[in-house]
């Protein structure tokens, strides 16, 4: 009977320990996922700013008449 109680106590301790380790691993996974998401957002923003510079404020250095020329060239007129 004592052996069974000791074994049960040991199993309960192992279970508690494994739950703590699982919780820590889940926290690390969440942090890693957030970092991956943040990096992906930065990548997409960079790609978009390169692909669509007029939508991201990079046209400010170009005079207005040059912008119109650029647009008409794109429109074919």
């Amino acid at each position: 009977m004592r052996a069974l109680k000791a074994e049960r106590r040991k199993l309960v301790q192992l279970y508690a320990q494994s739950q703590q380790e699982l919780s820590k691993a889940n926290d690390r996974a969440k942090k890693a996922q957030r970092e991956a998401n943040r990096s992906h957002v930065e990548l997409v923003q960079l790609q978009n700013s390169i692909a669509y510079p007029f939508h991201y404020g990079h046209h400010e250095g170009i005079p207005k008449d040059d912008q119109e020329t650029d647009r008409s060239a794109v429109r074919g007129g």
Side-chain angles (χ1 to χ4, degrees), residues 39-72:
S39 295
H40 180 71
V41 167
E42 290 174 2
L43 172 64
V44 169
Q45 287 174 339
L46 178 61
Q47 289 172 332
N48 286 342
S49 71
I50 291 168
Y52 309 104
F54 287 96
H55 292 85
Y56 284 84
H58 297 291
H59 63 285
E60 293 166 355
I62 302 171
K64 238 352 182 187
D65 55 344
D66 288 347
Q67 290 180 28
E68 286 304 316
T69 304
D70 291 346
R71 287 188 191 121
S72 64

Side-chain angles (χ1 to χ4, degrees), residues 3-30:
L4 287 176
K5 286 184 179 180
E7 186 66 23
R8 183 178 184 278
R9 217 177 2 249
K10 181 178 165 186
L11 290 174
V12 168
Q13 287 175 347
L14 284 173
Y15 177 78
Q17 182 181 352
S18 67
Q19 289 301 308
Q20 288 176 347
E21 291 173 3
L22 180 61
S23 178
K24 288 178 185 177
N26 282 335
D27 288 343
R28 286 192 302 272
K30 285 179 187 176

